[in-house]
Amino acid sequence: MSDIFQEVEEEVRRERVQKLWKQYGDYIIAGVALIIIAIAGYELWQRYQLNQQMKASETFFAAQQLADSGNFSKATPAFAVLAKDAPSGYAEMARLSQAGALAAAGQRLEAVAIYKSVAADDSGPIGSVALIRAGWALADSAPRADIEKLLAPLTDPKSAWRFSAGEILAYADFHAGDLKKAQGEFQTIADDKNAPDAMRRRTAAMATFLKGGIGNYGTVPAPEKPAAPATPPPAGAANGTPPQ
């Protein structure tokens, strides 16, 4: 009897499966097809992204070589193309490099405009680097108030960039002729143990220089008097003829 009941149950299950398949089979096939297409599309997208990154890397390297060789007229437009079309990451680096090439070519205002644009788009490390570079580009030409406003996001006591910003402001005061203020600013950074070691050494040297600790080299020794020329021999002495 148990075998008969088992066969009946299997027949009922088979009929239910067939009924469900007739009702939903097309949807199941379509769903499986969509999953396969999605997986294939994702893999193709990954390959495309990898190819784009490789192309961007090659183009960036070539543009950087042009910049390193001083060929800014060709490097700048190459970086501009990358900044527009390259994948994220390469695009930001290309914008920074484009600004650097412009600054090196003497086009500071154009460079600063790009740096500011980068900083406006990125509140992380890349944006902070852009502000620091913009600050250095303006340090010897812009009013201190403008530089201070530019670097305001980095001068917070909790900012990791406060020392770099402070060094730029100190240099701006030095270039403007406010030597006493600059000396104090350089010394403050030099005395802060949280500042990077290389920066502490650099600012300490500047503070000492502005304080007058460097530059006393003593007097310059007087030049030696040239020896008097020897008296020329009498005419004829060279060939043995006695003077008349």
Side-chain angles (χ1 to χ4, degrees):
M1 292 293 292
S2 61
D3 293 340
I4 294 175
F5 285 119
Q6 186 174 359
E7 290 178 3
V8 172
E9 287 179 1
E10 289 179 357
E11 186 64 27
V12 171
R13 291 195 191 100
R14 188 179 301 110
E15 289 179 358
R16 288 178 179 175
V17 170
Q18 289 176 349
K19 184 177 180 181
L20 289 173
W21 182 256
K22 288 179 181 180
Q23 290 180 343
Y24 304 106
D26 293 340
Y27 297 104
I28 295 173
I29 293 173
V32 172
L34 285 175
I35 293 173
I36 294 173
I37 292 172
I39 294 173
Y42 179 72
E43 291 182 352
L44 288 174
W45 174 251
Q46 282 190 318
R47 291 181 183 178
Y48 172 78
Q49 287 289 87
L50 180 60
N51 288 334
Q52 290 297 103
Q53 290 176 353
M54 291 178 65
K55 289 180 181 179
S57 177
E58 293 173 357
T59 306
F60 185 88
F61 180 73
Q64 192 63 56
Q65 283 188 316
L66 290 171
D68 292 342
S69 65
N71 194 346
F72 303 116
S73 61
K74 290 185 178 181
T76 301
F79 284 129
V81 172
L82 275 172
K84 181 180 179 181
D85 300 332
S88 179
Y90 281 104
E92 287 80 359
M93 294 301 298
R95 291 170 71 189
L96 289 177
S97 297
Q98 179 190 7
L102 287 169
Q107 298 174 267
R108 290 191 179 185
L109 294 180
E110 292 85 347
V112 170
I114 294 176
Y115 284 137
K116 288 182 178 180
S117 175
V118 172
D121 294 340
D122 187 287
S123 59
I126 292 179
S128 298
V129 169
L131 287 179
I132 291 296
R133 292 188 180 183
W136 278 118
L138 296 173
D140 58 357
S141 59
R144 189 191 193 277
D146 292 349
I147 302 173
E148 191 171 2
K149 182 179 179 181
L150 174 72
L151 298 176
L154 308 181
T155 55
D156 186 276
K158 296 181 180 180
S159 172
W161 302 90
R162 64 189 183 279
F163 301 113
S164 297
E167 185 179 18
I168 295 172
L169 293 172
Y171 178 81
D173 287 329
F174 164 69
H175 193 272
D178 195 345
L179 304 186
K180 184 176 181 180
K181 185 176 181 181
Q183 194 274 334
E185 290 171 318
F186 281 126
Q187 191 64 58
T188 297
I189 298 174
D191 293 340
D192 196 321
K193 295 182 179 180
N194 294 316
D197 290 339
M199 187 180 294
R200 291 183 65 191
R201 291 192 295 268
R202 185 169 62 246
T203 52
M206 283 297 297
T208 303
F209 169 74
L210 293 176
K211 194 175 181 180
I214 300 177
N216 184 13
Y217 300 100
T219 58
V220 178
E224 295 182 2
K225 294 182 178 180
T231 304
N239 54 14
T241 305
Q244 300 295 327

